[in-house]
Amino acid sequence: MKGNYMATQAAAETDQVLTLCDELMLLMLNEETGYFHQVPGWHLSCAMAGAALAGLSLGTRIDTDMESLILLDQTPTGNPVLDLALSQIAGESKQHSAQYWVEQLAPRAEMMIDLTLDRLVQIGILEHHEGDFWTLALAGRHSEYFSDEDAKATVQHVKARVDKSIFGSDIPGPRDIIIIALANVCDVLRFIFDFDETAEQRVQLICQMDLIGRAIADAVAQNLAGALQGAALTKTIPKLSVRRLALNKHVRDGNMPAGFAQLAEEIGPVFKLKSPLEKHPMICVVGPRVNRWVHRYGRMYLRSSDYLRGLEEAYFAEGLLPAIDGADHFRLRKALRASYGRERLENQINQTYQNVRTLMSTWKVGETHAGVSMCRQLANASITPTLIGVEAADVMDDIISYKSRALKTQVIKVMPPFMLHTPGMKRKTRAVELLFDRIVQSHTAAQRLGCPRDQADDILSLHRSDPTFVPESNLRFMFSAVVLASMYAGDELGFLMYAMLSQPDLHEQIRAEADELFGDGDPSPEAFKSSSIDVTRRFIMEVLRLYPTIPMSMRTVMNSCVVEDFELPVGSKILIATTACHYMDDLFPDPYRFDIDRYLPARAEHRTPGYAPFGLGTHGCLGSNMVDLQLTLNLLMIAHHFELQIQPADYQLKISAFPSLSPNNKLKFTIVKQRYPLPA
């Protein structure tokens, strides 16, 4: 064997609980931000490929030195990442160098990373959070990751071992030498540990200690040195005129996802749009590869604060969850995770049934209701009392109006700024203040004694524990956000009701599931996860595809990057049309057809980044699971208790596009019949 690592000195790599690929990702993890230390994409890809080769070498599947890599044993290891690399090596009859194989495996590194992260979550070492964040799981902090070289003692976490290797005097084992060598090539160690000149020299010494580690690290370094600079190969971004945008049929109809899907098909995945209200053009990015890039890497290159700073100003706030990035965003998101979790609604589901039925009891047979208002009120009844413990129906419309005007004037800028400060808008700000007063006055220690914890409790606790992180000036928006959720959830419910009532066959199937679910009394939360509501579940997914209330997002480029072979310069304003993919034929065949069978296991068309009704990446909807339960509960309760009819009967859905997608105000519902009584 050409390497200086003897098989008798250590257990095989394939017998370890963790592989070198696992440990490389754990070393890169930055728990402060919930993501990974920012290593350029090609650097991390090459390092991951190198870790796979080193793992195969430690597992005696291959042998490598400075000149060549030899296949010794092509028996699968049972580890998907290592076997992916092994099968590619075994499929090549000609012998090549380690550098060659790093270059060949690097393009598949993204799959390797996904498999590695999935595995670390499955074995309980990492915890995956909504928005694609990761942290070390509580159990993983204290677990025995693997046996050490003499298979007798417990080994410390990889970061602790690397720290000991760099700042101690003992000679590290081969595994740690390889990990240090790979991380050093990526130039990431100085960001993980406090480095000085002595530590630099120690790292250089360690990297020379093992022949396998040197061979793999050199192969990675050679690929990095020879990598082409993407910006030199980028293409010129085509331009889209405002006139062409305005003439697009789907855009005129308010269906922004369909409009941008068609524009991307005609122009390409990246194009510029010059608005008469903006000094600089907006760069629009569209498509499944864009979605995947945004989801995985957007946090490194894009920021949201520029667009939402105006929204913060409208509420006299700073550091709101939608407007911050990086470690602060992750910290606040983690702190509010339970507040927006599905479990919060599940734990109070009986009270939610009562709140919804209290509102439904005001519906009279023969009455006709404005669809948007009716659905927002219903969503408010099922969300607001549960999350903030107060009634808000009387202030909901004013709070929504103020937020909508703030978005139109401060964010998407389709109205001049002074329109936020009209006398009418000033009156509506009083609703925000009134809601704030209600919550503060009702959330004293004495009044909350014995009450289930709600989101207002969480927010006030955060404020008291760290008033600089969550200042009092932010509370008005944070409390209002719960009521604003009624707008988005209510508008989605309006789309659901229209789609159900306009398709009698599906309506009948949903009603049958509702009657079965509520036939013997109110169902438990577990019933909403069962196959007994399969049609309803797939129906909701299809409505979310066709009519997502938040179809796109806006960002600013903070680090120059290349997307779809187009360079996005620093400072560029970006519009990410995430849901345009919903109308792309290669992802959703016949995309304009309503087809709930898309979500059957045999097709599973939603299992790609092309399905994004709740957004992507770090700013994806924190309450998506709660909203899913809320929509399901409301739709089934309507189907069970009432027979409704669209008014007028020949109404064809029209969409209002700003500031978010909603049915237009002409949609109405008539109460035709009460099918079952509302329990007291």
Side-chain angles (χ1 to χ4, degrees):
M1 185 173 180
K2 297 181 181 179
N4 66 350
Y5 179 89
M6 301 301 293
T8 56
Q9 288 183 307
E13 166 80 353
T14 54
D15 292 334
Q16 307 290 342
V17 174
L18 295 187
T19 68
L20 284 170
C21 293
D22 297 328
E23 292 200 310
L24 180 64
M25 296 309 299
L26 288 173
L27 184 66
M28 297 287 190
L29 179 65
N30 181 348
E31 282 210 89
E32 183 181 356
T33 65
Y35 201 55
F36 301 91
H37 288 282
Q38 294 190 9
V39 178
W42 182 249
H43 288 60
L44 182 56
S45 295
C46 290
M48 197 67 177
L53 292 177
L56 291 174
S57 181
L58 294 182
T60 65
R61 295 303 196 276
I62 63 172
D63 192 10
T64 186
D65 59 17
M66 306 305 289
E67 289 83 30
S68 60
L69 184 149
I70 303 169
L71 178 65
L72 300 176
D73 181 0
Q74 57 182 318
T75 305
T77 67
N79 179 280
V81 177
L82 298 184
D83 287 343
L84 187 152
L86 182 62
S87 64
Q88 194 160 340
I89 295 170
E92 181 70 65
S93 58
K94 186 178 178 181
Q95 185 173 305
H96 298 284
S97 66
Q99 180 186 352
Y100 171 88
W101 282 115
V102 169
E103 183 179 306
Q104 293 299 305
L105 291 171
R108 307 189 72 179
E110 191 169 302
M111 182 187 299
M112 293 179 179
I113 292 170
D114 287 344
L115 290 170
T116 299
L117 294 175
D118 288 346
R119 179 174 181 271
L120 289 171
V121 171
Q122 289 170 4
I123 62 179
I125 292 175
L126 288 184
E127 182 178 357
H128 180 243
H129 304 264
E130 291 287 339
D132 245 18
F133 295 100
W134 286 267
T135 55
L136 191 64
L138 184 60
R141 296 175 194 273
H142 310 292
S143 65
E144 297 181 359
Y145 288 104
F146 47 83
S147 297
D148 69 357
E149 290 185 333
D150 63 8
K152 292 180 181 178
T154 299
V155 181
Q156 294 172 294
H157 181 270
V158 59
K159 287 184 181 178
R161 295 188 351 255
V162 170
D163 182 274
K164 183 178 179 181
S165 297
I166 294 174
F167 298 100
S169 58
D170 293 344
I171 298 175
R175 293 175 62 88
D176 293 341
I177 292 173
I178 293 170
I179 286 289
I180 292 170
L182 290 173
N184 183 57
V185 168
C186 293
D187 194 28
V188 75
L189 289 172
R190 69 185 68 254
F191 304 113
I192 303 174
F193 306 101
D194 292 329
F195 257 36
D196 55 20
E197 187 174 343
T198 302
E200 293 271 12
Q201 294 173 354
R202 172 69 173 172
V203 167
Q204 297 308 316
L205 176 63
I206 290 172
C207 291
Q208 300 300 313
M209 288 181 177
D210 182 78
L211 186 56
I212 293 176
R214 287 174 55 195
I216 297 296
D218 284 351
V220 171
Q222 288 162 1
N223 273 283
L224 298 183
L228 293 173
Q229 295 298 315
L233 303 175
T234 55
K235 301 178 289 189
T236 301
I237 300 176
K239 296 180 180 179
L240 171 70
S241 68
V242 174
R243 181 176 181 274
R244 184 173 178 182
L245 176 69
L247 289 176
N248 183 278
K249 177 184 181 302
H250 299 300
V251 172
R252 291 202 314 272
D253 291 342
N255 192 338
M256 306 304 286
F260 275 82
Q262 186 177 63
L263 291 169
E265 183 179 4
E266 296 169 357
I267 305 171
V270 180
F271 50 88
K272 289 182 180 179
L273 174 65
K274 179 66 171 72
S275 166
L277 298 178
E278 293 283 353
K279 183 177 179 181
H280 300 289
M282 176 90 69
I283 299 177
C284 306
V285 291
V286 188
R289 288 190 296 272
V290 167
N291 277 12
R292 183 169 182 81
W293 180 86
V294 169
H295 188 64
R296 295 298 301 272
Y297 307 112
R299 71 194 79 202
M300 300 180 188
Y301 301 101
L302 309 176
R303 66 169 175 252
S304 61
S305 58
D306 296 25
Y307 284 101
L308 295 175
R309 190 171 293 125
L311 182 66
E312 289 185 318
E313 291 174 0
Y315 285 88
F316 307 100
E318 185 175 355
L320 299 176
L321 183 64
I324 55 176
D325 300 287
D328 284 343
H329 178 85
F330 177 57
R331 179 185 170 196
L332 185 54
R333 193 179 179 98
K334 269 207 311 183
L336 294 175
R337 182 176 58 170
S339 304
Y340 285 93
R342 182 183 176 110
E343 293 79 9
R344 186 64 58 89
L345 186 55
E346 289 179 340
N347 291 340
Q348 298 188 55
I349 198 165
N350 290 329
Q351 183 61 49
T352 303
Y353 290 142
Q354 182 177 329
N355 294 338
V356 170
R357 287 183 176 126
T358 297
L359 178 65
M360 286 181 167
S361 67
T362 65
W363 297 354
K364 306 301 180 185
V365 174
E367 289 181 344
T368 297
H369 295 258
V372 170
S373 176
M374 177 184 186
C375 292
R376 287 180 178 179
Q377 290 173 8
L378 193 60
N380 177 71
S382 59
I383 294 176
T384 303
T386 300
L387 291 190
I388 55 177
V390 299
E391 292 294 335
D394 60 321
V395 296
M396 178 181 68
D397 289 342
D398 283 348
I399 289 174
I400 289 173
S401 294
Y402 184 76
K403 167 71 178 303
S404 297
R405 182 66 61 86
L407 288 175
K408 290 176 181 178
T409 57
Q410 307 295 104
V411 180
I412 57 179
K413 298 181 179 179
V414 294
M415 296 178 70
F418 77 85
M419 293 298 292
L420 182 63
H421 306 292
T422 63
M425 282 297 111
K426 290 180 180 179
R427 286 193 296 271
K428 294 182 188 302
T429 61
R430 296 172 192 163
V432 176
E433 197 67 32
L434 180 58
L435 179 68
F436 172 80
D437 290 340
R438 282 182 189 174
I439 292 173
V440 171
Q441 292 168 13
S442 64
H443 281 72
T444 63
Q447 291 183 82
R448 297 300 295 166
L449 187 65
C451 297
R453 190 173 181 86
D454 63 21
Q455 188 177 115
D457 291 320
D458 295 340
I459 292 172
L460 289 168
S461 178
L462 278 172
H463 165 63
R464 288 190 292 266
S465 66
D466 192 346
T468 60
F469 183 54
V470 180
E472 183 181 342
S473 58
N474 287 9
L475 299 184
R476 286 157 181 80
F477 178 85
M478 296 178 77
F479 292 150
S480 298
V482 178
V483 179
L484 295 169
S486 302
M487 176 183 75
Y488 297 114
D491 291 346
E492 197 63 61
L493 182 60
F495 286 127
L496 285 166
M497 289 177 62
Y498 171 82
M500 179 177 72
L501 298 176
S502 61
Q503 300 178 88
D505 290 345
L506 283 172
H507 187 188
E508 186 60 38
Q509 293 180 65
I510 293 168
R511 187 157 53 194
E513 290 185 343
D515 290 349
E516 180 68 24
L517 197 67
F518 286 91
D520 295 324
D522 290 337
S524 68
E526 290 71 26
F528 291 95
K529 303 175 184 177
S530 70
S531 59
S532 62
I533 56 169
D534 176 62
V535 171
T536 303
R537 178 184 60 82
R538 290 187 285 119
F539 171 82
I540 291 174
M541 293 176 72
E542 181 70 341
V543 173
L544 286 167
R545 179 185 74 84
L546 289 167
Y547 313 116
T549 56
I550 304 178
M552 52 191 66
S553 58
M554 293 182 285
R555 300 286 185 267
T556 301
V557 177
M558 62 182 180
N559 292 306
S560 59
C561 50
V562 176
V563 177
E564 291 279 28
D565 297 327
F566 294 93
E567 183 181 10
L568 307 183
V570 169
S572 300
K573 298 182 177 182
I574 305 296
L575 188 150
I576 309 164
T578 46
T579 60
C581 294
H582 294 187
Y583 284 88
M584 292 185 173
D585 191 76
D586 54 337
L587 299 173
F588 298 94
D590 197 3
Y592 296 93
R593 182 167 64 91
F594 198 100
D595 181 8
I596 69 170
D597 290 346
R598 299 180 191 278
Y599 312 103
L600 290 172
R603 293 172 63 180
E605 294 173 12
H606 61 295
R607 298 290 187 188
T608 74
Y611 185 75
F614 293 108
L616 292 168
T618 57
H619 285 275
C621 177
L622 184 58
S624 59
N625 291 327
M626 176 187 284
V627 171
D628 177 72
L629 175 57
Q630 179 264 332
L631 291 174
T632 305
L633 183 151
N634 280 343
L635 188 68
L636 288 169
M637 289 185 72
I638 292 170
H640 177 67
H641 287 294
F642 291 93
E643 184 176 321
L644 305 181
Q645 187 178 69
I646 296 171
Q647 183 67 31
D650 60 351
Y651 172 85
Q652 295 297 311
L653 181 66
K654 291 180 174 57
I655 299 173
S656 295
F658 295 107
S660 57
L661 265 58
S662 67
N664 80 342
N665 289 327
K666 293 184 179 180
L667 175 63
K668 295 180 173 60
F669 299 115
T670 297
I671 312 296
V672 176
K673 175 183 176 182
Q674 183 168 333
R675 300 180 65 243
Y676 291 98
L678 297 168

